[in-house]
Amino acid sequence: MANMKFTESHEWACLDQDTGEVTIGITAFAVEHLGDIVFLELPESNASISKGKSFGTIESVKSASDIYSPVTGEIVAINSELCDNLEWLESPYEKAWMIRIKAKNPSELDALMDEAAYQDYLKTQE
């Protein structure tokens, strides 16, 4: 996806300029470090969410982690099929999106890292 942005907590976000909707998922780094993922909990649609707040939980055989929203807005779509197809997370930027948010203020994405900055950030995480 073009215009992808990344958080320090390893979520990715991609703004659709036409609709103002932000598609959100977790990064390949997050998937790799979680290991064998066994459970995913996602929110209800039409719920409001604030930037930095948890919208779901992902569990592996090693640990459980919250998933955080990089923007404030209303959840307009949930990839409920993903919960039954966790293997999709092996390609986290394709079918493994988690939620779509109608962003209240899309400029919140400006504070996130672009791909080059995220790759540099990952070097500090090893």
Side-chain angles (χ1 to χ4, degrees), residues 12 17-20 26 30 34-35 46 50 53 55 57 61 74 82 95 101-104 112 120 123:
W12 59 264
Q17 297 286 354
D18 295 331
T19 65
I26 63 170
L34 281 166
N46 300 321
S50 296
K53 298 294 182 188
F55 67 79
T57 304
V61 294
E74 184 176 332
L82 180 58
K95 292 195 294 189
I101 295 176
K102 179 71 173 175
K104 191 174 191 177
L112 302 181
D120 287 343
K123 292 174 187 169

Side-chain angles (χ1 to χ4, degrees), residues 26 29-40 58-65 86-87 89-90:
I26 63 170
F29 180 89
V31 171
E32 180 181 320
H33 279 77
L34 281 166
D36 292 329
I37 297 169
V38 295
F39 179 75
L40 175 65
I58 191 163
E59 295 180 16
S60 71
V61 294
K62 294 194 286 189
S63 67
S65 299
L86 295 174
E87 68 277 4
L89 287 163
E90 293 170 13

Side-chain angles (χ1 to χ4, degrees), residues 40 42 77-85 88 97-98:
L40 175 65
L42 295 174
I78 297 166
N79 188 357
S80 55
E81 290 183 58
L82 180 58
C83 296
D84 295 324
N85 297 283
W88 291 355
W97 64 273
M98 295 182 174

Side-chain angles (χ1 to χ4, degrees), residues 60-77:
S60 71
V61 294
K62 294 194 286 189
S63 67
S65 299
D66 285 331
I67 310 165
Y68 300 98
S69 178
V71 294
T72 297
E74 184 176 332
I75 298 169
V76 294

Side-chain angles (χ1 to χ4, degrees), residues 11 13-14 16 19 29 34 48 53 77-78 94 118-119 122:
E11 291 86 15
C14 186
D16 182 322
T19 65
F29 180 89
L34 281 166
S48 293
K53 298 294 182 188
I78 297 166
E94 295 167 15
Y118 183 66
Q119 291 303 320
L122 291 181

Side-chain angles (χ1 to χ4, degrees), residues 4 6 113-123:
M4 197 171 281
F6 301 89
M113 295 176 275
D114 63 15
E115 188 165 2
Y118 183 66
Q119 291 303 320
D120 287 343
Y121 174 72
L122 291 181
K123 292 174 187 169

